[in-house]
């Protein structure tokens, strides 16, 4: 059976929509398990400061070390730095939920790091 590029594009769009809808349900379900008081209390904790420091300073530093040690193409170096500087998000929250970690801290950290990424990303 021969498929055309249009068929492949339609299938890709359908998979993307299905994946995003499933992701939306995961995020909504995880966030619903956190109380608003618990989320707000995390904004005043040291965990947010530690998380932001790791996200925007330690992760990019590790990326620079990898770039200096491993021979990469210039495009790959930029991709690595952007990925390591980007905020964590849904997958972090999902893993916290699975392993019974501090989900409220993870959700709060995702929100803060996403907002901070507007000015912190290279």
């Amino acid at each position: 059976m021969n498929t055309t590029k249009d068929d492949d594009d339609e299938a890709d769009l359908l998979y993307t929509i299905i994946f995003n809808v499933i992701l939306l349900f995961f995020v909504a379900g995880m966030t619903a398990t956190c109380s608003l008081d618990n989320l707000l209390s995390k904004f005043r904790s040291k965990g947010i400061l530690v998380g932001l420091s790791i996200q925007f300073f330690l992760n990019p530093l590790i990326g620079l070390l990898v770039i200096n040690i491993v021979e990469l193409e210039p495009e790959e170096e930029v991709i690595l730095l952007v990925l390591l500087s980007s905020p964590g998000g849904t997958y972090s929250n999902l893993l916290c939920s699975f392993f019974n970690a501090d989900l409220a801290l993870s959700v709060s950290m995702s929100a803060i790091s996403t907002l901070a990424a507007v000015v912190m990303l290279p």
Side-chain angles (χ1 to χ4, degrees):
M1 180 173 145
N2 293 338
T3 60
T4 65
K5 183 168 179 5
D6 290 338
D7 290 340
D8 290 341
D9 289 344
E10 289 175 7
D12 286 344
L13 178 62
L14 181 63
Y15 292 142
T16 301
I17 290 171
I18 290 171
F19 178 75
N20 285 328
V21 168
I22 291 170
L23 203 55
L24 173 70
F25 282 111
F26 273 133
V27 171
M30 286 182 293
T31 305
T33 63
C34 298
S35 70
L36 185 59
D37 291 336
N38 197 5
L39 284 172
L40 293 175
S41 72
K42 299 302 177 185
F43 285 109
R44 294 182 293 274
S45 73
K46 291 182 212 174
I48 296 291
L49 183 60
V50 170
L52 285 174
S53 299
I54 291 170
Q55 185 68 51
F56 294 112
F57 298 107
L58 185 61
N59 281 353
L61 181 63
I62 291 170
L64 284 173
L65 291 173
V66 169
I67 287 169
N68 287 325
I69 294 171
V70 179
E71 293 293 322
L72 297 173
E73 296 294 322
E75 299 85 12
E76 294 170 331
E77 292 174 352
V78 170
I79 291 169
L80 181 64
L81 282 178
V82 169
L83 283 176
L84 285 173
S85 301
S86 298
T90 305
Y91 293 111
S92 168
N93 299 339
L94 183 63
L95 291 173
C96 283
S97 179
F98 285 159
F99 294 109
N100 202 23
D102 193 346
L103 183 59
L105 179 61
S106 180
V107 170
S108 300
M109 184 62 221
S110 294
I112 295 290
S113 65
T114 300
L115 292 174
V118 172
V119 293
M120 296 295 289
L121 278 178

